[in-house]
Coordinates of all heavy atoms in Angstrom, one line a residue:
M1 N -22.6 31.1 -54.0 CA -22.5 30.1 -55.1 C -22.9 28.7 -54.5 O -22.3 28.2 -53.6 CB -21.1 30.1 -55.6 CG -20.9 29.1 -56.8 SD -19.2 29.1 -57.4 CE -18.3 28.4 -56.0
W2 N -23.9 28.2 -55.1 CA -24.3 26.8 -54.7 C -23.5 25.8 -55.5 O -23.3 25.9 -56.7 CB -25.8 26.6 -55.0 CG -26.6 27.4 -54.1 CD1 -27.3 28.6 -54.4 CD2 -27.0 27.1 -52.7 NE1 -28.0 29.0 -53.3 CE2 -27.8 28.1 -52.3 CE3 -26.6 26.0 -51.9 CZ2 -28.3 28.1 -51.0 CZ3 -27.2 26.0 -50.6 CH2 -28.0 27.1 -50.1
I3 N -23.0 24.8 -54.7 CA -22.2 23.7 -55.3 C -23.0 22.4 -55.2 O -23.4 22.1 -54.1 CB -20.8 23.6 -54.6 CG1 -20.1 25.0 -54.7 CG2 -20.0 22.5 -55.2 CD1 -18.9 25.1 -53.7
Q4 N -23.2 21.8 -56.3 CA -23.9 20.5 -56.2 C -22.9 19.4 -55.7 O -21.8 19.3 -56.1 CB -24.3 20.1 -57.6 CG -25.2 18.8 -57.6 CD -25.7 18.5 -59.0 OE1 -25.4 19.1 -60.0 NE2 -26.6 17.5 -59.0
Q5 N -23.4 18.7 -54.7 CA -22.6 17.6 -54.2 C -22.4 16.5 -55.2 O -23.3 16.1 -55.9 CB -23.3 17.1 -52.9 CG -22.5 15.9 -52.3 CD -23.0 15.6 -50.9 OE1 -22.2 15.7 -50.0 NE2 -24.2 15.1 -50.8
K6 N -21.2 16.0 -55.2 CA -20.9 14.9 -56.1 C -21.0 13.6 -55.3 O -21.2 13.6 -54.1 CB -19.5 15.1 -56.7 CG -19.3 16.4 -57.4 CD -17.9 16.5 -58.0 CE -17.6 17.8 -58.6 NZ -17.6 18.9 -57.7
T7 N -20.7 12.5 -56.0 CA -20.8 11.3 -55.3 C -19.5 11.0 -54.4 O -19.5 10.2 -53.6 CB -20.9 10.1 -56.3 OG1 -19.9 10.2 -57.3 CG2 -22.3 10.1 -56.9
T8 N -18.5 11.9 -54.7 CA -17.3 11.8 -53.8 C -17.3 12.9 -52.8 O -18.0 13.9 -53.0 CB -16.0 12.0 -54.7 OG1 -16.2 13.2 -55.5 CG2 -15.8 10.8 -55.6
P9 N -16.7 12.8 -51.7 CA -16.7 13.8 -50.6 C -16.2 15.1 -51.1 O -15.3 15.2 -51.9 CB -15.9 13.2 -49.5 CG -15.9 11.7 -49.7 CD -15.9 11.6 -51.2
A10 N -16.7 16.2 -50.5 CA -16.2 17.5 -50.8 C -14.9 17.7 -50.1 O -14.6 17.1 -49.1 CB -17.2 18.6 -50.3
P11 N -14.0 18.6 -50.6 CA -12.7 18.8 -50.0 C -12.7 19.3 -48.6 O -13.4 20.3 -48.2 CB -12.1 19.9 -50.9 CG -12.9 19.9 -52.2 CD -14.3 19.5 -51.8
L12 N -12.1 18.5 -47.7 CA -12.1 18.9 -46.3 C -11.4 20.2 -46.0 O -12.0 21.0 -45.2 CB -11.3 17.8 -45.5 CG -11.2 17.9 -44.0 CD1 -12.5 17.8 -43.4 CD2 -10.2 16.9 -43.4
D13 N -10.4 20.5 -46.7 CA -9.6 21.8 -46.5 C -10.5 23.0 -46.7 O -10.4 24.0 -46.0 CB -8.4 21.9 -47.4 CG -7.3 21.0 -47.1 OD1 -7.4 20.3 -46.0 OD2 -6.4 20.8 -47.8
E14 N -11.4 22.9 -47.6 CA -12.3 24.1 -48.0 C -13.5 24.2 -47.0 O -14.1 25.3 -47.0 CB -12.8 23.9 -49.4 CG -11.8 24.0 -50.4 CD -12.3 23.8 -51.9 OE1 -13.5 23.9 -52.0 OE2 -11.5 23.6 -52.7
L15 N -13.8 23.2 -46.3 CA -15.0 23.2 -45.5 C -14.8 23.0 -44.0 O -15.7 23.5 -43.2 CB -15.9 22.0 -46.0 CG -16.4 22.2 -47.4 CD1 -17.1 21.0 -47.9 CD2 -17.4 23.4 -47.5
Q16 N -13.8 22.4 -43.6 CA -13.5 22.1 -42.2 C -13.6 23.4 -41.4 O -12.9 24.4 -41.7 CB -12.2 21.5 -42.0 CG -11.8 21.1 -40.6 CD -10.6 20.2 -40.6 OE1 -10.7 19.0 -40.3 NE2 -9.4 20.7 -41.1
G17 N -14.4 23.5 -40.3 CA -14.4 24.6 -39.5 C -15.3 25.8 -40.0 O -15.4 26.8 -39.4
R18 N -15.8 25.6 -41.2 CA -16.6 26.6 -41.9 C -18.1 26.4 -41.6 O -18.5 25.4 -41.0 CB -16.4 26.6 -43.4 CG -14.9 26.7 -43.8 CD -14.3 28.0 -43.5 NE -14.8 29.2 -44.3 CZ -14.3 29.5 -45.5 NH1 -13.3 28.8 -46.0 NH2 -14.8 30.5 -46.1
T19 N -18.9 27.3 -42.0 CA -20.3 27.2 -41.9 C -20.9 27.1 -43.3 O -20.6 27.8 -44.2 CB -20.9 28.5 -41.2 OG1 -20.2 28.6 -39.9 CG2 -22.3 28.3 -40.9
V20 N -21.8 26.2 -43.4 CA -22.5 26.0 -44.7 C -24.0 26.0 -44.6 O -24.5 25.7 -43.6 CB -22.0 24.6 -45.4 CG1 -20.5 24.6 -45.6 CG2 -22.5 23.4 -44.5
G21 N -24.6 26.4 -45.7 CA -26.0 26.2 -45.8 C -26.3 25.1 -46.9 O -25.5 25.0 -47.8
L22 N -27.3 24.4 -46.7 CA -27.6 23.3 -47.6 C -29.0 23.6 -48.2 O -29.9 24.2 -47.6 CB -27.7 21.9 -47.0 CG -26.5 21.4 -46.2 CD1 -26.7 20.0 -45.7 CD2 -25.2 21.4 -47.1
K23 N -29.1 23.1 -49.5 CA -30.5 23.1 -50.0 C -30.6 21.7 -50.8 O -29.7 21.2 -51.2 CB -30.8 24.2 -50.9 CG -30.1 24.3 -52.2 CD -30.6 25.4 -53.1 CE -29.8 25.5 -54.4 NZ -30.3 26.5 -55.3
F24 N -31.8 21.3 -50.8 CA -32.1 20.0 -51.4 C -33.6 20.0 -51.8 O -34.4 20.7 -51.3 CB -31.8 18.8 -50.5 CG -32.6 18.8 -49.2 CD1 -33.8 18.1 -49.1 CD2 -32.1 19.5 -48.1 CE1 -34.5 18.1 -47.9 CE2 -32.8 19.5 -46.9 CZ -34.0 18.8 -46.8
E25 N -33.9 19.0 -52.7 CA -35.2 18.9 -53.2 C -35.9 17.8 -52.4 O -35.3 16.6 -52.3 CB -35.3 18.5 -54.7 CG -36.7 18.5 -55.2 CD -36.7 18.1 -56.7 OE1 -36.2 18.9 -57.5 OE2 -37.1 17.0 -57.0
C26 N -37.0 18.1 -51.7 CA -37.7 17.1 -50.9 C -38.1 15.9 -51.8 O -38.6 16.1 -52.9 CB -38.9 17.7 -50.3 SG -40.0 16.5 -49.4
N27 N -37.8 14.7 -51.4 CA -38.1 13.5 -52.2 C -39.5 13.2 -52.3 O -40.0 12.5 -53.1 CB -37.3 12.3 -51.7 CG -37.6 12.0 -50.3 OD1 -37.4 12.8 -49.4 ND2 -38.1 10.8 -50.0
Q28 N -40.3 13.8 -51.4 CA -41.7 13.5 -51.3 C -42.6 14.5 -52.1 O -43.4 14.1 -52.9 CB -42.2 13.5 -49.9 CG -43.6 13.0 -49.7 CD -43.9 12.6 -48.3 OE1 -43.6 11.5 -47.9 NE2 -44.6 13.5 -47.6
C29 N -42.3 15.8 -52.0 CA -43.2 16.8 -52.6 C -42.4 17.7 -53.6 O -42.9 18.6 -54.2 CB -43.9 17.7 -51.6 SG -42.8 18.8 -50.7
H30 N -41.1 17.5 -53.7 CA -40.2 18.2 -54.6 C -40.1 19.7 -54.3 O -39.7 20.5 -55.2 CB -40.6 17.9 -56.1 CG -40.7 16.5 -56.4 ND1 -39.5 15.7 -56.5 CD2 -41.7 15.6 -56.5 CE1 -39.9 14.5 -56.7 NE2 -41.2 14.4 -56.7
T31 N -40.4 20.1 -53.1 CA -40.2 21.5 -52.7 C -38.7 21.6 -52.5 O -38.0 20.7 -52.0 CB -40.9 21.8 -51.4 OG1 -42.3 21.7 -51.7 CG2 -40.6 23.2 -50.9
E32 N -38.1 22.8 -52.8 CA -36.7 23.1 -52.5 C -36.6 23.5 -51.1 O -37.3 24.5 -50.6 CB -36.2 24.2 -53.5 CG -34.7 24.3 -53.5 CD -34.3 25.1 -54.7 OE1 -34.6 26.3 -54.8 OE2 -33.6 24.5 -55.6
V33 N -35.8 22.8 -50.3 CA -35.7 23.1 -48.9 C -34.4 23.7 -48.5 O -33.3 23.1 -49.0 CB -35.9 21.7 -48.1 CG1 -35.9 22.0 -46.6 CG2 -37.2 21.0 -48.4
F34 N -34.4 24.8 -47.8 CA -33.1 25.4 -47.4 C -32.9 25.1 -45.9 O -33.8 25.3 -45.1 CB -33.2 26.9 -47.6 CG -33.2 27.3 -49.1 CD1 -34.4 27.3 -49.8 CD2 -32.0 27.6 -49.7 CE1 -34.4 27.6 -51.1 CE2 -32.0 27.9 -51.1 CZ -33.2 27.9 -51.8
T35 N -31.7 24.7 -45.5 CA -31.4 24.5 -44.1 C -30.9 25.8 -43.4 O -30.5 26.7 -44.1 CB -30.3 23.4 -43.9 OG1 -29.1 24.0 -44.3 CG2 -30.6 22.2 -44.7
D36 N -30.9 25.7 -42.1 CA -30.2 26.7 -41.3 C -28.7 26.5 -41.6 O -28.3 25.5 -42.1 CB -30.5 26.6 -39.8 CG -31.9 27.0 -39.5 OD1 -32.5 27.8 -40.2 OD2 -32.4 26.5 -38.5
L37 N -27.9 27.4 -41.1 CA -26.4 27.2 -41.3 C -26.0 26.1 -40.4 O -26.4 26.0 -39.2 CB -25.7 28.5 -40.9 CG -26.0 29.7 -41.9 CD1 -25.3 31.0 -41.4 CD2 -25.6 29.4 -43.3
L38 N -25.1 25.3 -40.9 CA -24.5 24.2 -40.2 C -23.0 24.3 -40.1 O -22.4 24.7 -41.1 CB -24.8 22.9 -41.0 CG -26.3 22.6 -41.2 CD1 -26.4 21.5 -42.3 CD2 -27.0 22.1 -40.0
G39 N -22.5 24.0 -39.0 CA -21.0 24.0 -38.8 C -20.5 22.7 -39.3 O -21.1 21.6 -39.1
V40 N -19.4 22.8 -40.0 CA -18.7 21.5 -40.5 C -17.7 21.1 -39.4 O -16.8 21.9 -39.2 CB -18.0 21.8 -41.9 CG1 -17.3 20.5 -42.3 CG2 -19.0 22.2 -42.9
P41 N -17.9 20.0 -38.8 CA -16.9 19.6 -37.8 C -15.5 19.3 -38.4 O -15.4 18.9 -39.6 CB -17.6 18.3 -37.2 CG -18.4 17.8 -38.3 CD -18.9 19.0 -39.1
A42 N -14.5 19.4 -37.6 CA -13.2 19.0 -38.0 C -13.1 17.5 -38.0 O -13.8 16.8 -37.1 CB -12.2 19.6 -37.0
A43 N -12.4 16.9 -38.9 CA -12.1 15.5 -38.8 C -11.2 15.3 -37.6 O -10.4 16.2 -37.3 CB -11.4 15.0 -40.1
D44 N -11.5 14.3 -36.8 CA -10.9 14.1 -35.5 C -9.5 13.7 -35.6 O -9.2 12.5 -35.7 CB -11.8 13.2 -34.7 CG -11.3 13.3 -33.2 OD1 -10.3 13.9 -32.9 OD2 -12.0 12.6 -32.4
H45 N -8.6 14.6 -35.3 CA -7.1 14.3 -35.3 C -6.7 13.4 -34.1 O -5.7 12.8 -34.1 CB -6.3 15.5 -35.3 CG -6.4 16.3 -36.6 ND1 -5.6 16.0 -37.7 CD2 -7.2 17.3 -37.0 CE1 -5.9 16.8 -38.7 NE2 -6.9 17.6 -38.3
L46 N -7.6 13.5 -33.1 CA -7.2 12.8 -31.8 C -7.8 11.4 -31.8 O -7.5 10.6 -30.9 CB -7.7 13.6 -30.6 CG -7.2 15.0 -30.5 CD1 -7.8 15.7 -29.4 CD2 -5.6 15.0 -30.4
A47 N -8.6 11.0 -32.7 CA -9.2 9.7 -32.7 C -8.1 8.6 -32.8 O -7.3 8.7 -33.6 CB -10.2 9.5 -33.9
N48 N -8.1 7.8 -31.8 CA -7.1 6.7 -31.8 C -7.7 5.4 -32.3 O -7.0 4.4 -32.2 CB -6.4 6.6 -30.5 CG -7.4 6.4 -29.3 OD1 -8.6 6.1 -29.6 ND2 -7.0 6.6 -28.1
S49 N -8.9 5.5 -32.7 CA -9.6 4.3 -33.3 C -9.0 4.1 -34.7 O -8.7 5.1 -35.4 CB -11.1 4.5 -33.3 OG -11.7 3.6 -34.2
T50 N -8.9 2.9 -35.1 CA -8.5 2.6 -36.4 C -9.7 2.8 -37.4 O -9.5 2.8 -38.6 CB -7.9 1.2 -36.6 OG1 -8.9 0.3 -36.1 CG2 -6.6 1.0 -35.8
E51 N -10.9 2.8 -36.9 CA -12.0 3.0 -37.7 C -12.1 4.5 -38.1 O -12.1 5.4 -37.2 CB -13.3 2.7 -37.0 CG -13.5 1.2 -36.8 CD -14.8 1.0 -36.0 OE1 -15.8 1.5 -36.3 OE2 -14.7 0.2 -35.0
D52 N -12.1 4.8 -39.4 CA -12.1 6.2 -39.8 C -13.6 6.6 -40.0 O -14.1 6.8 -41.0 CB -11.4 6.3 -41.2 CG -11.3 7.7 -41.6 OD1 -11.4 8.6 -40.8 OD2 -11.1 7.9 -42.8
D53 N -14.2 6.8 -38.8 CA -15.6 7.1 -38.9 C -15.9 8.6 -38.8 O -17.0 9.1 -38.8 CB -16.5 6.3 -37.9 CG -15.9 6.4 -36.5 OD1 -14.9 7.1 -36.3 OD2 -16.4 5.8 -35.6
G54 N -14.8 9.4 -38.6 CA -15.0 10.9 -38.7 C -15.8 11.5 -37.6 O -16.1 10.9 -36.6
Q55 N -16.3 12.7 -37.9 CA -17.0 13.4 -36.9 C -18.4 13.8 -37.6 O -18.4 14.1 -38.8 CB -16.3 14.7 -36.6 CG -15.0 14.5 -35.8 CD -15.2 14.0 -34.4 OE1 -15.4 12.8 -34.1 NE2 -15.3 15.0 -33.5
F56 N -19.4 13.9 -36.8 CA -20.7 14.1 -37.3 C -21.4 15.4 -36.7 O -21.1 15.7 -35.6 CB -21.7 12.9 -36.9 CG -21.3 11.7 -37.6 CD1 -20.3 10.8 -36.9 CD2 -21.8 11.3 -38.8 CE1 -20.0 9.6 -37.5 CE2 -21.4 10.1 -39.3 CZ -20.5 9.3 -38.7
E57 N -22.2 16.0 -37.5 CA -23.1 17.0 -37.0 C -24.5 16.7 -37.6 O -24.6 16.5 -38.8 CB -22.6 18.4 -37.6 CG -23.5 19.5 -37.3 CD -23.2 20.2 -35.9 OE1 -22.1 20.0 -35.4 OE2 -24.1 20.9 -35.4
T58 N -25.5 16.6 -36.7 CA -26.8 16.2 -37.3 C -27.8 17.3 -36.9 O -27.7 17.9 -35.9 CB -27.3 14.8 -36.7 OG1 -27.3 14.9 -35.3 CG2 -26.3 13.7 -37.1
E59 N -28.8 17.4 -37.8 CA -29.8 18.4 -37.7 C -31.1 17.7 -38.2 O -31.0 16.8 -39.1 CB -29.6 19.6 -38.5 CG -28.5 20.5 -38.0 CD -28.9 21.4 -36.8 OE1 -30.1 21.7 -36.7 OE2 -28.0 21.7 -36.0
E60 N -32.2 18.2 -37.8 CA -33.5 17.8 -38.4 C -34.1 19.1 -39.0 O -34.1 20.2 -38.4 CB -34.4 17.2 -37.4 CG -34.0 15.8 -37.1 CD -35.0 15.1 -36.2 OE1 -35.9 15.8 -35.6 OE2 -34.9 13.8 -36.1
I61 N -34.8 18.9 -40.1 CA -35.5 20.1 -40.7 C -36.8 19.6 -41.3 O -36.9 18.5 -41.8 CB -34.6 20.8 -41.8 CG1 -35.3 22.0 -42.3 CG2 -34.3 19.8 -43.0 CD1 -34.4 22.9 -43.1
K62 N -37.8 20.4 -41.1 CA -39.1 20.0 -41.6 C -39.3 20.7 -43.0 O -39.1 21.8 -43.1 CB -40.2 20.5 -40.6 CG -41.6 20.0 -41.0 CD -42.7 20.8 -40.3 CE -42.9 20.4 -38.8 NZ -44.0 21.1 -38.3
C63 N -39.8 19.9 -43.9 CA -40.1 20.4 -45.2 C -41.2 21.3 -45.1 O -42.3 21.0 -44.6 CB -40.4 19.2 -46.2 SG -41.0 19.8 -47.8
P64 N -41.1 22.5 -45.7 CA -42.2 23.5 -45.6 C -43.4 23.1 -46.5 O -44.5 23.6 -46.4 CB -41.6 24.8 -46.1 CG -40.4 24.4 -46.9 CD -39.9 23.1 -46.3
G65 N -43.1 22.2 -47.5 CA -44.2 21.8 -48.4 C -45.0 20.7 -47.9 O -46.3 20.7 -48.0
C66 N -44.4 19.7 -47.2 CA -45.2 18.5 -46.8 C -45.0 18.1 -45.4 O -45.6 17.1 -45.0 CB -44.9 17.3 -47.8 SG -43.2 16.7 -47.5
D67 N -44.3 18.9 -44.6 CA -44.0 18.6 -43.2 C -43.3 17.4 -42.9 O -43.2 16.9 -41.8 CB -45.4 18.6 -42.4 CG -46.0 20.0 -42.2 OD1 -45.3 21.0 -42.6 OD2 -47.1 20.1 -41.8
M68 N -42.7 16.8 -44.0 CA -41.8 15.6 -43.7 C -40.5 16.1 -43.0 O -40.0 17.1 -43.3 CB -41.4 15.0 -45.1 CG -40.5 13.8 -45.0 SD -40.2 13.2 -46.7 CE -39.0 11.9 -46.3
I69 N -40.1 15.3 -42.0 CA -38.9 15.6 -41.3 C -37.7 14.9 -42.0 O -37.7 13.7 -42.2 CB -39.0 15.0 -39.9 CG1 -40.1 15.7 -39.1 CG2 -37.6 15.3 -39.1 CD1 -40.0 17.1 -38.8
H70 N -36.7 15.8 -42.4 CA -35.5 15.2 -43.0 C -34.4 15.3 -42.0 O -34.2 16.3 -41.3 CB -35.1 16.1 -44.2 CG -36.1 16.0 -45.4 ND1 -36.1 15.0 -46.3 CD2 -37.1 16.8 -45.7 CE1 -37.1 15.2 -47.2 NE2 -37.7 16.3 -46.8
E71 N -33.7 14.3 -41.9 CA -32.5 14.3 -41.0 C -31.3 14.6 -41.8 O -31.0 13.9 -42.9 CB -32.4 12.9 -40.3 CG -31.3 12.9 -39.3 CD -31.4 11.6 -38.5 OE1 -32.4 11.4 -37.8 OE2 -30.4 10.9 -38.4
I72 N -30.5 15.5 -41.4 CA -29.3 16.0 -42.1 C -28.1 15.6 -41.3 O -28.0 15.9 -40.1 CB -29.4 17.5 -42.3 CG1 -30.6 17.9 -43.2 CG2 -28.1 18.0 -42.9 CD1 -31.0 19.3 -43.1
T73 N -27.1 15.0 -42.0 CA -25.9 14.7 -41.3 C -24.7 15.3 -42.1 O -24.6 15.1 -43.3 CB -25.7 13.1 -41.3 OG1 -26.8 12.6 -40.6 CG2 -24.4 12.8 -40.5
V74 N -23.9 16.0 -41.4 CA -22.6 16.5 -42.0 C -21.5 15.7 -41.4 O -21.4 15.6 -40.2 CB -22.4 18.0 -41.6 CG1 -21.1 18.5 -42.3 CG2 -23.6 18.9 -42.0
K75 N -20.8 15.0 -42.3 CA -19.8 14.0 -41.8 C -18.4 14.4 -42.3 O -18.2 14.6 -43.5 CB -20.2 12.6 -42.4 CG -19.3 11.5 -41.9 CD -19.7 10.2 -42.5 CE -18.7 9.1 -42.1 NZ -19.1 7.9 -42.8
S76 N -17.5 14.6 -41.4 CA -16.1 15.0 -41.8 C -15.2 13.8 -41.6 O -15.2 13.3 -40.5 CB -15.6 16.2 -41.0 OG -16.3 17.3 -41.3
T77 N -14.5 13.4 -42.6 CA -13.5 12.4 -42.4 C -12.2 13.0 -43.2 O -12.3 14.0 -43.8 CB -13.8 11.1 -43.1 OG1 -13.8 11.2 -44.5 CG2 -15.2 10.6 -42.7
F78 N -11.1 12.3 -43.0 CA -9.9 12.8 -43.7 C -10.0 12.6 -45.2 O -9.3 13.2 -46.0 CB -8.7 12.0 -43.2 CG -8.4 12.4 -41.8 CD1 -8.6 11.5 -40.7 CD2 -8.0 13.7 -41.5 CE1 -8.3 11.9 -39.4 CE2 -7.8 14.1 -40.1 CZ -7.9 13.2 -39.1
D79 N -11.1 11.9 -45.7 CA -11.3 11.8 -47.1 C -12.1 12.9 -47.7 O -12.2 13.1 -48.9 CB -12.1 10.5 -47.4 CG -11.2 9.3 -47.2 OD1 -10.0 9.4 -47.3 OD2 -11.8 8.2 -46.8
G80 N -12.8 13.7 -46.7 CA -13.6 14.8 -47.2 C -14.9 14.9 -46.4 O -15.1 14.2 -45.4
V81 N -15.7 15.8 -46.9 CA -17.0 16.1 -46.1 C -18.1 15.6 -47.0 O -18.2 15.8 -48.2 CB -17.1 17.6 -45.9 CG1 -18.4 18.0 -45.2 CG2 -15.9 18.1 -45.1
T82 N -19.1 14.9 -46.3 CA -20.3 14.4 -47.0 C -21.5 15.0 -46.3 O -21.6 15.1 -45.1 CB -20.3 12.9 -46.8 OG1 -19.1 12.4 -47.3 CG2 -21.5 12.3 -47.7
F83 N -22.4 15.5 -47.1 CA -23.7 16.0 -46.6 C -24.7 14.9 -46.9 O -25.0 14.6 -48.1 CB -24.1 17.3 -47.2 CG -23.0 18.4 -47.0 CD1 -22.2 18.8 -48.1 CD2 -22.8 18.9 -45.8 CE1 -21.2 19.8 -47.9 CE2 -21.8 19.9 -45.6 CZ -21.1 20.3 -46.6
E84 N -25.4 14.4 -45.9 CA -26.4 13.4 -46.1 C -27.7 13.9 -45.7 O -27.8 14.5 -44.6 CB -26.1 12.1 -45.3 CG -24.8 11.4 -45.7 CD -24.4 10.2 -44.8 OE1 -25.2 10.0 -43.8 OE2 -23.4 9.6 -45.1
V85 N -28.7 13.8 -46.5 CA -30.1 14.1 -46.2 C -30.9 12.8 -46.3 O -30.8 12.2 -47.4 CB -30.6 15.2 -47.1 CG1 -32.0 15.6 -46.7 CG2 -29.7 16.4 -47.0
S86 N -31.6 12.5 -45.2 CA -32.3 11.2 -45.3 C -33.2 11.1 -46.4 O -34.0 12.0 -46.7 CB -33.1 11.0 -43.9 OG -33.9 12.1 -43.7
E87 N -33.2 10.0 -47.1 CA -34.0 9.7 -48.3 C -33.9 10.6 -49.5 O -34.7 10.5 -50.4 CB -35.5 9.6 -47.8 CG -35.7 8.5 -46.8 CD -37.2 8.5 -46.3 OE1 -38.1 8.3 -47.2 OE2 -37.4 8.6 -45.1
V88 N -32.9 11.4 -49.5 CA -32.6 12.3 -50.6 C -31.3 11.9 -51.3 O -30.3 11.6 -50.6 CB -32.6 13.8 -50.2 CG1 -32.2 14.7 -51.3 CG2 -33.9 14.2 -49.6
A89 N -31.3 11.8 -52.6 CA -30.1 11.4 -53.3 C -28.9 12.4 -53.1 O -29.2 13.6 -53.1 CB -30.3 11.3 -54.8
P90 N -27.7 12.0 -52.9 CA -26.6 12.9 -52.7 C -26.5 14.0 -53.8 O -26.2 15.1 -53.5 CB -25.3 12.0 -52.8 CG -25.8 10.6 -52.5 CD -27.3 10.6 -53.0
E91 N -26.8 13.7 -55.0 CA -26.7 14.6 -56.1 C -27.8 15.7 -56.1 O -27.7 16.6 -56.8 CB -26.7 13.9 -57.5 CG -25.8 12.7 -57.6 CD -26.5 11.5 -57.1 OE1 -27.6 11.1 -57.6 OE2 -26.0 10.9 -56.1
S92 N -28.8 15.4 -55.2 CA -29.9 16.4 -55.1 C -29.6 17.4 -54.0 O -30.4 18.3 -53.7 CB -31.2 15.7 -54.7 OG -31.5 14.8 -55.8
V93 N -28.4 17.3 -53.3 CA -28.0 18.2 -52.3 C -27.0 19.2 -52.8 O -26.0 18.8 -53.5 CB -27.4 17.4 -51.1 CG1 -27.0 18.3 -50.0 CG2 -28.4 16.4 -50.6
E94 N -27.2 20.5 -52.5 CA -26.3 21.5 -52.9 C -25.8 22.2 -51.6 O -26.6 22.3 -50.6 CB -26.9 22.5 -53.8 CG -27.2 21.9 -55.2 CD -27.8 22.9 -56.1 OE1 -27.1 23.9 -56.4 OE2 -28.9 22.7 -56.5
Y95 N -24.6 22.7 -51.6 CA -24.1 23.4 -50.4 C -23.5 24.8 -50.8 O -23.1 25.0 -51.9 CB -23.1 22.6 -49.6 CG -21.9 22.2 -50.4 CD1 -20.7 23.0 -50.2 CD2 -21.8 21.1 -51.2 CE1 -19.5 22.7 -50.8 CE2 -20.6 20.8 -51.8 CZ -19.5 21.5 -51.7 OH -18.3 21.2 -52.3
Q96 N -23.5 25.7 -49.8 CA -22.9 27.0 -50.0 C -22.1 27.3 -48.8 O -22.6 27.2 -47.7 CB -24.1 28.0 -50.2 CG -23.6 29.4 -50.5 CD -24.8 30.3 -50.8 OE1 -25.8 30.3 -50.0 NE2 -24.8 31.0 -51.9
V97 N -20.8 27.6 -49.0 CA -19.9 28.0 -47.9 C -20.1 29.4 -47.6 O -20.1 30.3 -48.5 CB -18.5 27.7 -48.3 CG1 -17.5 28.0 -47.1 CG2 -18.3 26.2 -48.8
Q98 N -20.2 29.7 -46.3 CA -20.4 31.1 -45.8 C -19.0 31.8 -45.8 O -18.0 31.1 -45.4 CB -21.0 31.2 -44.4 CG -22.4 30.6 -44.4 CD -23.3 31.3 -45.3 OE1 -23.6 32.5 -45.2 NE2 -23.9 30.5 -46.3
A99 N -18.9 33.0 -46.2 CA -17.7 33.7 -46.2 C -17.2 33.9 -44.7 O -17.9 34.0 -43.8 CB -17.8 35.1 -46.8
Ligands
LIG101 ZN1 -41.7 17.9 -48.8

């Protein structure tokens, strides 16, 4: 089941430590791009910084339509999980949690 990302972070409890696949529409050629499976990092309980900058996982994927390189960031904070794809609107990103 694909879930469209909202403008608010996705629930950390449902995603932390899980594996997700993402799909998004390329902003340049409008091809639907599917990523490899990505691990969702745990929000860092040990961080003693007061900055809540969370944990990151980054990947690059090449659009099969136009060869544009998209940078993907999975960001976990205690507020939730955000999937960022460079130059693509958050609402154009969908995710699927692996069983
Ligand atoms: Zn493209």
